[in-house]
Amino acid sequence: MSEITPDVVEAHGLNSEEYERVLNALGREPNLVELGIFSVMWSEHCSYKSSRFHLKKLPTKAPWVICGPGENAGVIDIGDGQAAIFKMESHNHPSYIEPFQGAATGVGGILRDVFTMGARPVANMNALRFGRPDHPKMKHLVQGVVEGIGSYGNCVGVPTVGGETNFHKAYDGNILVNAMTVGVADTDKLFYSAATGLGNPIVYVGSKTGRDGIHGATMASADFDEHSDEKRPTVQVGDPFTEKLLIEACLELMATDAIVAIQDMGAAGLTSSSVEMASKGGAGIRLNMNAVPCREEAMTPYEMMLSESQERMLMVLQPGKEPMAEAIFKKWELDFAVIGEVTDTGHMVLEFNGEVVCDIPLGPLADDAPEYERPYVTPEEYKAWAKVPAMGEVAESADVGADLLKLMGTVDLASRKWIWEQYDSQVGGDTMQKSGGDAAVVRIHNTPKALAISTDCSPRYCYADPYEGGKQAVAETYRNISAVGGLPLAITNCLNFANPQRPEIMAQIVGCLNGMGDACRALDYPIVSGNVSLYNESKATGGGSAILPTPAIGGVGLLADHEKMTTVAFKNAGDEIFVLGGKGSHLGQSLWLREIAGQEAGDAPKVDLKVEAENGASIRDWIAAGKVTAVHDVSDGGLLVALAEMAMASGLGCNLDAELTTAEAFGEDQSRYVVTAPAGTELPGAVRIGTVAGTKVAGNEVSALREANEAFFKDWMEA
């Protein structure tokens, strides 16, 4: 075996202090297999060593939370003996290096996190961030990522029902691909990952292990440089058809009493799955590496343990159930192998060719992984560092209608139809509302209920003011779910930031988490699962460009009666238009200010969480009572953009009672909704601003707005 030199230790991403901890844990020098295992388990991607201290402060409990963070996915009670199971994960670095496979395997991995817990996946979502459209690599990256997401989801038969896509130069050298899956299970058929039962067999199921994805978790825990393209071998290769077989085989076995524990092989593959199962169960684990199904010749234990080959699971079975389980997996044409057993040693022991090649105490590997309380600057120091200019004088718009037309054609507001038309959103037959509305809505099969799902984040707000941006990301999902008639229940998140060893970046992380935590507490909207992705920056673009702080939030809510669901489209000429939450006055950090006035400046809009909760409750009450005909939240672009989107969804225009000022038209004040209702309807707290009428919005024909809105992607992709 290779000699462990300081260079070998450094190549495994461990600093000298961490290596000292390895020596203390073992009481000797590790061999290469042991070093590799410590390397991936203590990587940022697996151990959250820079964020754990702050993550502990987040609210994770509520009467309807069955399982919070720490398992494969979060679980909430949705009544009638049913649970919703969901999580969001990042696949950022792999998607930049190899966009199709990076995005595809991101979808595959998050699907496994959900069906591992006993759920049938019912919906996929995503949150994507790309650089400038005129960047030489960007069109290739967008095409590859969208094709990868569509290909995997479409083949595996789970509808992709919504998401969000942003563009900003900060993502030129490091795109973000965050994937979310939601599943449904019976509350008495949930499966967890803690390995228990001395002598119980450990079985490997799914695809064979190859050399793809070795060191994927370590690669995801480092920033990019000019050699990033050489990391292609660390990107996994996915097979959605095998994943479909794996879902069906696992669900079939889950209908029996054979499974004690189950864990998917995600980041760090066989290492993380076996370590997590054993440490959660307070047990030990012994694996025979000669029994691991391999698809390549002469694979070493090091390669087997660190491979991130896709479509693989690890299970602990009840003794004697192996033949039945094997028959199920063989029927679905999948590998099945007994590769070890649960022990009471508290150690992970690996044997190969009759020799022990690894013997590590599990405590230090899992629970005692390094945890850093990294230094961060104060909000005042951060503001000085961020150099967000104060908003200069802006003249009143000379033509609000012309500004609206221009805004609807910008990359930020352009229709994402080119993207979502590549996703099968209808497979399964339960999709009631897909991309293009406020939240996706998926009916829970054979019930009157439905789940409302939304992914959101405004990174420009998070950069200008991390605390307010963190609040806003949570509040935006709350608003989108309320807007379709859903009761927001819980969130998952994907926390994407740059290098946490820089105190300014750490200030973004702490600020955003504090804002998220306060919003979740105020809105009774706990965090049940999530993922942290750090070191999202690239030296390759020159000068070490960091992404904008991007704490993407995935929210899930419940509609008790999907018949009452609302959509954004204007419904009837003559309906009155109301705004709840005021017309608007805040132009700081708005799209209008950047795109029309040429200033990326000002403070992020403040989120009054008390008002947010009150306005959401009013909207849900009005929807439940059948008072309103259309609802849309006011977000990017402000009130006039919201009205234009309602018009484009229907073909109907609107007449406003009074001309809007620039700030009223385009201000991005929070906690606001536009609603329509039949003439004479009383909506306490809402202000009437006009009626649904004609085919124009602010002097623009709806057809002209739609043409401008759909032109960007069409022109870019056909060019």
Side-chain angles (χ1 to χ4, degrees):
M1 263 201 195
S2 314
E3 189 192 347
I4 306 300
T5 65
D7 287 350
V8 171
V9 172
E10 190 185 342
H12 281 76
L14 295 170
N15 62 35
S16 56
E17 185 196 329
E18 288 168 349
Y19 186 60
E20 269 308 309
R21 293 180 67 154
V22 172
L23 295 177
N24 289 337
L26 292 176
R28 58 176 170 80
E29 198 171 80
N31 62 36
L32 192 64
V33 177
E34 292 165 338
L35 182 70
I37 287 170
F38 271 104
S39 152
V40 291
M41 289 308 296
W42 285 8
S43 69
E44 195 72 65
H45 193 74
C46 291
S47 74
Y48 296 170
K49 57 191 172 189
S50 298
S51 55
R52 269 205 331 270
F53 177 81
H54 299 283
L55 293 171
K56 291 172 189 169
K57 305 173 195 169
L58 295 172
T60 59
K61 293 183 168 64
W64 52 90
V65 174
I66 294 172
C67 177
E71 271 294 338
N72 286 294
V75 186
I76 57 171
D77 194 325
I78 53 171
D80 310 308
Q82 291 179 307
I85 299 177
F86 56 98
K87 191 183 180 188
M88 198 180 206
E89 276 270 7
S90 61
H91 234 221
N92 304 334
H93 287 49
S95 300
Y96 185 80
I97 294 166
E98 219 304 314
F100 178 89
Q101 288 296 351
T105 53
V107 174
I110 196 63
L111 281 164
R112 285 195 300 283
D113 277 337
V114 167
F115 75 74
T116 297
M117 306 235 8
R120 178 169 289 282
V122 297
N124 285 334
M125 298 278 285
N126 53 69
L128 312 176
R129 302 287 186 286
F130 297 105
R132 292 164 301 169
D134 58 2
H135 184 281
K137 279 185 89 157
M138 216 45 63
K139 184 169 164 181
H140 161 72
L141 289 170
V142 172
Q143 289 171 330
V145 165
V146 170
E147 195 185 341
I149 290 170
S151 169
Y152 206 100
N154 297 355
C155 293
V156 87
V158 177
T160 302
V161 293
E164 54 164 354
T165 307
N166 290 165
F167 293 83
H168 191 277
K169 62 178 185 278
Y171 305 101
D172 279 356
N174 198 127
I175 63 172
L176 301 184
V177 175
N178 296 171
M180 177 178 172
T181 293
V182 183
V184 175
D186 293 338
T187 50
D188 60 354
K189 293 257 176 62
L190 297 172
F191 290 84
Y192 298 100
S193 59
T196 55
L198 181 61
N200 279 352
I202 294 168
V203 300
Y204 169 120
V205 301
S207 288
K208 287 180 166 61
T209 294
R211 289 190 171 95
D212 50 330
I214 291 173
H215 281 302
T218 316
M219 181 265 292
S221 305
D223 47 23
F224 276 159
D225 57 26
E226 59 277 12
H227 304 298
S228 293
D229 279 352
E230 296 165 15
K231 295 179 177 173
R232 231 177 226 112
T234 60
V235 178
Q236 313 90 322
V237 178
D239 176 358
F241 297 107
T242 300
E243 181 107 342
K244 174 62 175 167
L245 301 177
L246 191 58
I247 292 173
E248 298 305 332
C250 285
L251 291 174
E252 184 174 334
L253 186 60
M254 285 166 168
T256 73
D257 61 352
I259 299 174
V260 175
I262 179 169
Q263 173 81 31
D264 82 294
M265 295 191 214
L270 188 50
T271 292
S272 64
S273 54
S274 54
V275 169
E276 284 169 22
M277 289 177 84
S279 57
K280 280 178 190 163
I285 194 164
R286 187 188 62 76
L287 300 181
N288 171 13
M289 302 309 291
N290 293 86
V292 173
C294 292
R295 67 164 182 263
E296 298 188 45
E297 290 295 311
M299 284 190 72
T300 65
Y302 179 92
E303 292 171 325
M304 290 180 225
M305 290 306 288
L306 300 192
S307 166
E308 293 186 8
S309 294
Q310 296 292 289
E311 294 91 36
R312 302 179 301 156
M313 313 283 275
L314 202 61
M315 298 181 185
V316 177
L317 296 185
Q318 299 280 6
K321 300 287 184 181
E322 301 94 323
M324 176 190 70
E326 182 171 13
I328 290 172
F329 282 89
K330 290 284 186 258
K331 180 183 85 175
W332 291 100
E333 298 179 357
L334 295 165
D335 271 278
F336 177 98
V338 178
I339 64 166
E341 63 182 13
V342 178
T343 67
D344 58 2
T345 62
H347 279 234
M348 169 191 254
V349 177
L350 309 180
E351 294 171 1
F352 185 61
N353 294 341
E355 289 179 18
V356 172
V357 292
C358 167
D359 186 347
I360 300 179
L362 284 160
L365 205 51
D367 309 332
D368 304 337
E371 181 181 332
Y372 298 123
E373 199 179 335
R374 297 202 187 274
Y376 52 94
V377 298
T378 65
E380 294 68 38
E381 290 167 330
Y382 174 77
K383 221 172 173 66
W385 171 83
K387 295 187 178 64
V388 177
M391 201 173 107
E393 285 292 309
V394 286
E396 272 294 307
S397 169
D399 186 340
V400 165
D403 287 357
L404 173 66
L405 187 64
K406 185 176 175 184
L407 273 177
M408 296 315 290
T410 62
V411 65
D412 285 82
L413 294 174
S415 166
R416 275 39 178 162
K417 195 169 159 187
W418 178 87
I419 295 177
W420 48 257
E421 280 188 339
Q422 298 185 54
Y423 304 151
D424 186 342
S425 61
Q426 302 300 324
V427 62
D430 285 320
T431 305
M432 304 190 70
Q433 205 170 148
K434 58 182 183 182
S435 301
D438 281 330
V441 179
V442 178
R443 181 174 47 212
I444 296 168
H445 208 60
N446 294 330
T447 77
K449 299 181 298 189
L451 295 173
I453 316 158
S454 175
T455 57
D456 290 288
C457 182
S458 300
R460 65 184 189 277
Y461 296 169
C462 295
Y463 182 80
D465 185 334
Y467 175 71
E468 287 298 332
K471 277 162 63 179
Q472 192 273 342
V474 172
E476 174 84 4
T477 65
Y478 184 87
R479 217 175 298 146
N480 282 331
I481 289 167
S482 296
V484 298
L487 174 65
L489 290 176
I491 69 169
T492 184
N493 59 58
C494 205
L495 308 174
N496 308 274
F497 294 92
N499 186 340
Q501 295 173 52
R502 294 163 59 192
E504 298 82 11
I505 302 300
M506 201 62 216
Q508 294 175 345
I509 296 171
V510 174
C512 285
L513 284 174
N514 287 343
M516 285 165 50
D518 284 352
C520 289
R521 279 182 280 271
L523 300 172
D524 213 6
Y525 194 34
I527 297 168
V528 296
S529 60
N531 171 245
V532 182
S533 173
L534 304 181
Y535 296 95
N536 288 292
E537 56 185 86
S538 170
K539 298 183 181 76
T541 51
S545 70
I547 64 160
L548 297 180
T550 312
I553 304 293
V556 174
L558 182 67
L559 283 82
D561 180 0
H562 58 64
E563 298 279 327
K564 293 187 171 168
M565 175 188 82
T566 46
T567 64
V568 303
F570 287 147
K571 301 297 183 301
N572 317 295
D575 277 358
E576 295 184 315
I577 304 170
F578 298 83
V579 63
L580 177 64
K583 278 184 184 170
S585 59
H586 187 95
L587 285 171
Q589 292 300 322
S590 67
L591 292 183
W592 181 87
L593 189 69
R594 187 178 80 203
E595 298 295 331
I596 309 295
Q599 296 185 39
E600 213 163 333
D603 291 327
K606 297 269 188 280
V607 183
D608 185 325
L609 294 167
K610 185 168 178 289
V611 172
E612 192 71 64
E614 288 168 354
N615 288 357
S618 295
I619 290 291
R620 294 192 300 272
D621 288 348
W622 296 342
I623 292 171
K627 286 185 166 188
V628 292
T629 49
V631 181
H632 190 15
D633 86 309
V634 179
S635 57
D636 284 354
L639 176 58
L640 203 50
V641 166
L643 289 166
E645 287 169 343
M646 296 173 88
M648 290 188 304
S650 63
L652 296 168
C654 60
N655 290 337
L656 300 183
D657 297 342
E659 282 190 18
L660 299 174
T661 65
T662 307
E664 287 173 341
F666 302 113
E668 294 184 10
D669 309 61
Q670 299 296 296
S671 317
R672 297 189 296 151
Y673 301 81
V674 178
V675 299
T676 61
T681 305
E682 294 283 316
L683 298 174
V687 178
R688 186 198 134 109
I689 57 166
T691 53
V692 176
T695 57
K696 289 185 178 180
V697 179
N700 297 289
E701 283 289 343
V702 173
S703 56
L705 289 168
R706 190 182 290 120
E707 195 178 326
N709 191 235
E710 291 180 3
F712 169 77
F713 271 101
K714 211 160 57 191
D715 294 350
W716 189 32
M717 290 303 164
E718 286 173 9

